[in-house]
Amino acid sequence: MDWQFHISAVQCLVTHDIIHSAGKKQIHQNATPIGGISEEGMHTRLTTIDIRLFATLSRFQPPDATHYPVEPSITVGELLSRMGVPLTEVKLIFINGVKGSPETALNGGERVGIFPPVGGG
Amino acid sequence: MDKILRINMSGADGPQWAIEPLGAYAGLGGRAMTSTVVAAEVPPTCHPLSAENKLVIAPGLLSGSAAAMSGRISVGCKSPLTGGIKEANAGGQPSQMLARLGYAALILEGAPQEDTPYKVVINKDGAFISADNSLRMLGNYDLVEKMKAEFGGKVGCISIGQAGEMKLAAASIAFSDMEQRPTRHAGRGGVGAVMGAKGVKVIVVDDAGAPMRPPKDPVAFKAANKAFVAGLRKHPVTGQGLPAYGTNVLTNVVNEAGGYPTRNFQTGQFEGASRISGEALAELENNRGGEGSATHGCHRGCVIRCSGTFYDKNGRFLTKQPEYETVWAHGGNCGIDDLDAIAQLDRMDDDFGLDTIEMGATIAVAMESGIAQFGDAQGAIRLLEEVGKGTPLGRILGSGAAVTGKVFGVERVPVVKGQSMPAYDPRAVKGIGVTYATTPMGADHTAGYAVATNLLSIGGQVDPLSPKGQVELSRNLQIATAAIDATGMCLFIAFPILDQPDTFQSLLDLINGFAGLSMTADDVTALGRTILKQEREFNSAAGFTKSHDRLPEYLSKEALAPHGVVFDVSDQALDEVYNF
Ligand code: SF4
């Protein structure tokens, strides 16, 4: 499911640039739609983040994690749900090294680190 | 545990031993015992390597019983590294064994007339002390092998390697594990040098014929232990994270938080972190396989089992699973991202009997001075070999980061009271900075693990980047830790205890059921305070003032990337920590 999302998101990113330069609506209609994004949203330029999922959550790590496409102002919680990461397993969220929460919105360009509960010493 | 074994090494006819009743020390265990004895019997101004200093080895209060997690042991003395009071804590088998033999403490005092390594054997019939020149300058591994051949496969060993014999300030004391390997160390503060100064190379503990310590109230004790274990299993950190990934699971967290001291604390993030992380280490260990590879306990009775076993490329045992602090010290702090090299360094530290934190910090200072390059794993191994051989360079390095910094003219030396800081940069994790500055132990993360609340969201949340709230946080944790260190419980029980009130209650019930007491949470806090006050008074009498409760100045001037932060908890605030 999350694979689907990447492929479509990357396609959208590429297509969006074409739309922009060509200024034609037809090409836009060919773009693969992404669940949850409105027609309006398609016009918002997608951006990327660097997302890392650790420990038991590493199974959700996408292959393009270092330039993972997102639309601006998506919240961490929305993003994680879309990636299929159970929020109940998420304990720590770091955004550019600062603690965040599922409500924190992303602008693009951030480094996001997601952890289950961990401890040591 | 109703007696003390006192060994005086000074006798004209050789060492003398005596078994004493507990007297004023009744009811004490672990750190409460070691710090009370040191405060009462060691002149604070004495030289740490002199006959006046004493080495106190004390099992925790619950050690030797059926209580889960209770096999930790405390070692106390005046520290040759810091010049203050010291409690260093270790796992391994000897804690349970000494406790079953009935010893609440083992006190080594005086100093032998001649430079001869002694062997002490403790069993149900008493103590047997003999000079044994064949042990001279053996590493811990060869030494323990020899003891195994002599006394069989069941004894526990408390021993020093070459570093302790040379009385180097970074020397540790090894406690053998379930496989009779010298992998568990009372690492910090140079306790191994004090054992060396007493002329004791190894203490062999044979608990054959010694029964498990029975609880005063078996029914309450059994029920409490059950609830306590269930609480540990239920908490995701002690139930899942620690067993699966070990303490090294922290590498990625601390690195993501920008508080991972890299290349002698130059920056707060290491580009090679993921290659040496707990995730990478567990994968490597699981791929290589072997007995106890990724999940293993450091002593019998541990139900968390955060440890593991490291086998080399050819499947041969190399060392125990290196801890987070070790992987950081010899890894990111030296710019090294090779787990095999780090495990090799861990093995060498254990064999020579050295504190892995101090040695990693020292090698990083040496790298900053230019005698090796950051990232050069073979260079680090060569430097550590010098310590084992006792060359002049090796002796300098084995004296720790502060001495090495002085000798090589390095300004940036991350120490407090002469002891090197562990794996959290105090600029980006300010709560732990308060603990480093103010604990009587010198820079020590275990003394008040504010990282839990600053970074891990355990026991609440306090912003790691702000100076606000850090003093209270560190104070409360220092008090709680001192009390836990008295019980013989592994400190990692703090994670569930901070989050789950019912697990804290079952710990109290466990102690009460065992000792026939009715302690409350307030009594535990009072115990923690008493221990800390006593330690602090010892340090004052030894010449410490509030000016020693400070971090090195450069940490409040040089900003740390990526957050661009300095350590900005004020001096006045630091002086408030001990206002209780
Ligand atoms: S949790 Fe780890 S350190 Fe604590 S007792 Fe168990 S193995 Fe030892």
Side-chain angles (χ1 to χ4, degrees):
Chain A
M1 178 251 146
D2 29 304
W3 258 108
Q4 266 319 82
F5 172 64
H6 298 312
I7 295 162
S8 48
V10 172
Q11 279 172 354
C12 182
L13 185 68
V14 173
T15 333
H16 188 78
D17 279 331
I18 300 168
I19 300 165
H20 206 75
S21 50
K24 284 188 206 151
K25 241 195 159 164
Q26 281 94 321
I27 302 171
H28 181 192
Q29 279 156 357
N30 291 337
T32 318
I34 299 169
I37 302 181
S38 66
E39 282 287 298
E40 283 295 307
M42 300 296 282
H43 293 285
T44 320
R45 192 189 169 86
L46 282 184
T47 173
T48 65
I49 56 166
D50 176 348
I51 185 161
R52 294 157 204 236
L53 296 122
F54 296 102
T56 46
L57 298 176
S58 57
R59 66 188 194 274
F60 297 104
Q61 178 91 348
D64 52 352
T66 53
H67 45 90
Y68 190 76
V70 294
E71 70 271 24
S73 75
I74 188 171
T75 66
V76 175
E78 284 164 0
L79 174 69
L80 291 174
S81 313
R82 239 186 247 177
M83 296 172 78
V85 181
L87 281 180
T88 48
E89 289 183 32
V90 173
K91 167 95 174 182
L92 302 173
I93 296 169
F94 289 100
I95 296 158
N96 293 333
V98 177
K99 285 240 195 90
S101 74
E103 288 73 49
T104 312
L106 299 170
N107 299 316
E110 290 98 341
R111 169 165 167 167
V112 180
I114 309 289
F115 294 87
V118 285
Chain B
M1 297 209 304
D2 54 358
K3 55 191 179 186
I4 285 174
L5 177 62
R6 195 181 284 272
I7 300 176
N8 184 349
M9 301 302 294
S10 291
D13 307 321
Q16 307 285 317
W17 61 274
I19 291 175
E20 300 172 357
L22 291 176
Y25 301 134
L28 302 177
R31 181 170 167 186
M33 175 65 88
T34 61
S35 288
T36 306
V37 173
V38 172
E41 300 188 14
V42 175
T45 50
C46 78
H47 192 287
L49 301 179
S50 70
E52 284 68 45
N53 199 4
K54 302 193 181 191
L55 188 77
V56 187
I57 302 176
L61 261 188
L62 293 172
S63 269
S65 75
M69 313 301 305
S70 63
R72 304 283 303 188
I73 196 161
S74 293
V75 178
C77 60
K78 173 168 173 164
S79 161
L81 186 71
T82 68
I85 197 165
K86 173 58 60 185
E87 185 257 359
N89 196 282
Q93 290 301 102
S95 187
Q96 313 271 29
M97 300 170 98
L98 280 174
R100 283 186 195 137
L101 286 166
Y103 295 111
L106 176 60
I107 303 176
L108 300 183
E109 55 191 35
Q113 316 238 315
E114 280 158 36
D115 177 25
T116 314
Y118 281 91
K119 174 170 74 190
V120 177
V121 180
I122 301 173
N123 63 22
K124 65 177 187 345
D125 302 318
F128 303 86
I129 308 168
S130 53
D132 188 342
N133 268 308
S134 74
L135 307 181
R136 195 182 288 278
M137 289 306 259
L138 285 184
N140 279 313
Y141 273 90
D142 284 344
L143 176 64
V144 170
E145 268 310 305
K146 216 165 163 3
M147 295 303 106
K148 207 162 134 182
E150 206 171 328
F151 300 100
K154 293 210 169 123
V155 297
C157 290
I158 304 172
S159 61
I160 55 172
Q162 296 90 336
E165 274 190 73
M166 290 186 275
K167 306 183 198 86
L168 300 179
S172 63
I173 296 177
F175 291 80
S176 58
D177 60 17
M178 293 190 279
E179 288 73 31
Q180 264 188 330
R181 290 167 177 154
T183 60
R184 304 291 149 187
H185 289 241
R188 308 233 64 195
V191 291
V194 178
M195 188 156 154
K198 302 296 170 215
V200 176
K201 178 74 175 167
V202 59
I203 300 165
V204 179
V205 188
D206 178 359
D207 69 346
M212 185 169 291
R213 292 174 66 211
K216 285 255 159 57
D217 181 345
V219 177
F221 176 81
K222 212 170 160 197
N225 200 29
K226 206 170 154 202
F228 180 62
V229 169
L232 301 179
R233 295 233 160 94
K234 179 174 80 182
H235 194 275
V237 170
T238 43
Q240 292 154 29
L242 278 172
Y245 299 106
T247 54
N248 193 22
V249 74
L250 286 177
T251 296
N252 279 323
V253 188
V254 182
N255 193 57
E256 276 312 298
Y260 189 80
T262 303
R263 298 183 178 84
N264 192 32
F265 291 70
Q266 287 178 17
T267 60
Q269 260 168 353
F270 178 44
E271 69 288 351
S274 65
R275 286 191 287 281
I276 56 172
S277 65
E279 290 88 332
L281 182 56
E283 194 183 331
L284 186 73
E285 287 169 349
N286 282 327
N287 286 342
R288 288 182 184 173
E291 193 71 28
S293 51
T295 303
H296 197 52
C298 75
H299 72 272
R300 260 179 218 109
C302 168
V303 299
I304 301 175
R305 302 194 304 150
C306 76
S307 194
T309 314
F310 192 98
Y311 297 92
D312 69 12
K313 289 191 180 87
N314 304 314
R316 274 190 306 249
F317 168 82
L318 182 59
T319 187
K320 90 281 193 186
Q321 172 177 292
E323 303 294 345
Y324 167 62
E325 304 294 333
T326 306
V327 173
W328 160 78
H330 283 307
N333 193 42
C334 291
I336 292 169
D337 63 0
D338 173 351
L339 280 173
D340 281 298
I342 292 166
Q344 175 67 34
L345 289 158
D346 181 71
R347 161 73 186 228
M348 291 165 74
D349 284 333
D350 282 358
D351 197 29
F352 301 150
L354 288 162
D355 175 19
T356 58
I357 297 177
E358 195 65 41
M359 288 323 296
T362 301
I363 291 171
V365 166
M367 286 175 163
E368 179 147 338
S369 81
I371 65 172
Q373 297 304 307
F374 282 115
D376 178 6
Q378 291 315 309
I381 289 171
R382 273 196 302 276
L383 288 179
L384 198 51
E385 276 167 355
E386 300 275 332
V387 186
K389 283 189 227 148
T391 63
L393 172 61
R395 285 173 185 259
I396 292 168
L397 298 169
S399 302
V403 166
T404 300
K406 267 190 197 142
V407 172
F408 292 100
V410 178
E411 183 204 339
R412 290 182 200 81
V413 181
V415 299
V416 180
K417 300 181 178 73
Q419 179 167 292
S420 64
M421 290 179 200
Y424 317 87
D425 196 298
R427 289 166 287 189
V429 194
K430 295 189 202 281
I432 203 72
V434 174
T435 298
Y436 291 165
T438 59
T439 162
M441 298 298 149
D444 178 351
H445 62 296
T446 65
Y449 195 62
V451 176
T453 314
N454 277 172
L455 300 187
L456 309 175
S457 300
I458 292 172
Q461 302 214 33
V462 173
D463 180 1
L465 299 173
S466 157
K468 264 204 230 101
Q470 311 295 2
V471 163
E472 294 72 23
L473 176 64
S474 173
R475 177 194 297 133
N476 292 336
L477 288 168
Q478 288 194 48
I479 292 170
T481 302
I484 293 179
D485 285 343
T487 61
M489 288 280 167
C490 169
L491 196 52
F492 295 152
I493 66 164
F495 297 121
I497 279 178
L498 285 166
D499 278 344
Q500 300 166 183
D502 53 327
T503 309
F504 180 59
Q505 187 56 48
S506 52
L507 173 65
L508 282 180
D509 297 343
L510 193 59
I511 298 170
N512 289 336
F514 182 75
L517 299 170
S518 50
M519 278 190 10
T520 63
D522 288 345
D523 297 326
V524 172
T525 311
L527 170 66
R529 288 176 183 204
T530 310
I531 295 170
L532 285 175
K533 290 244 157 150
Q534 192 165 263
E535 292 172 347
R536 204 160 153 91
E537 275 159 27
F538 181 93
N539 279 2
S540 310
F544 284 82
T545 66
K546 60 186 179 184
S547 69
H548 296 93
D549 289 344
R550 301 288 182 262
L551 298 185
E553 205 199 357
Y554 75 96
L555 297 171
S556 50
K557 291 192 313 205
E558 294 179 11
L560 180 76
H563 293 300
V565 281
V566 296
F567 186 73
D568 55 359
V569 178
S570 71
D571 290 352
Q572 288 109 303
L574 291 176
D575 294 339
E576 289 297 311
V577 173
Y578 276 82
N579 279 346
F580 57 77

